[in-house]
Amino acid sequence: MFRRDMENALMTLQPKERFYRTLLLVPFVLILVALIFIVPGGNWNLPVKIIVSAVMIAFVVWRLIVNYTRAKAQLELEKEEKSK
């Protein structure tokens, strides 16, 4: 029940809030990518580390682009409503 409430709360966020929340993920993803390369150990080869890091970065960039375009459209819509 609690998980469903959290999902509903996330779906009711405005596009600007989603963009800013996604923007907060960027430093954590960059730190995680750095740790993948810095921390010794593990059985991952370098190409696997590069691919995993690239997928993580691509996902965050994709979410930023999607949320930015939605936030931009919302701002334009609000601007039109204020001008009326």
Side-chain angles (χ1 to χ4, degrees):
M1 180 81 174
F2 180 70
R3 184 181 185 106
R4 187 181 308 154
D5 291 339
M6 283 181 32
E7 290 173 359
N8 289 338
L10 285 176
M11 292 307 293
T12 60
L13 286 177
Q14 295 294 323
K16 286 189 292 188
E17 295 167 344
R18 284 187 189 167
F19 174 70
Y20 292 131
R21 187 166 286 187
T22 307
L23 201 57
L24 289 174
L25 283 177
V26 171
F28 295 110
V29 170
L30 292 178
I31 289 171
L32 186 61
V33 167
L35 287 176
I36 287 174
F37 288 101
I38 293 173
V39 174
N43 294 329
W44 288 11
N45 295 332
L46 184 61
V48 174
K49 291 180 181 181
I50 293 172
I51 290 170
V52 168
S53 301
V55 167
M56 289 171 44
I57 291 171
F59 177 74
V60 170
V61 168
W62 171 67
R63 290 306 306 166
L64 280 173
I65 291 170
V66 168
N67 290 334
Y68 176 76
T69 54
R70 289 180 182 168
K72 188 175 176 184
Q74 180 194 11
L75 287 174
E76 291 175 0
L77 196 77
E78 289 175 356
K79 193 182 293 183
E80 288 178 8
E81 289 178 0
K82 286 182 182 179
S83 67
K84 287 184 179 181

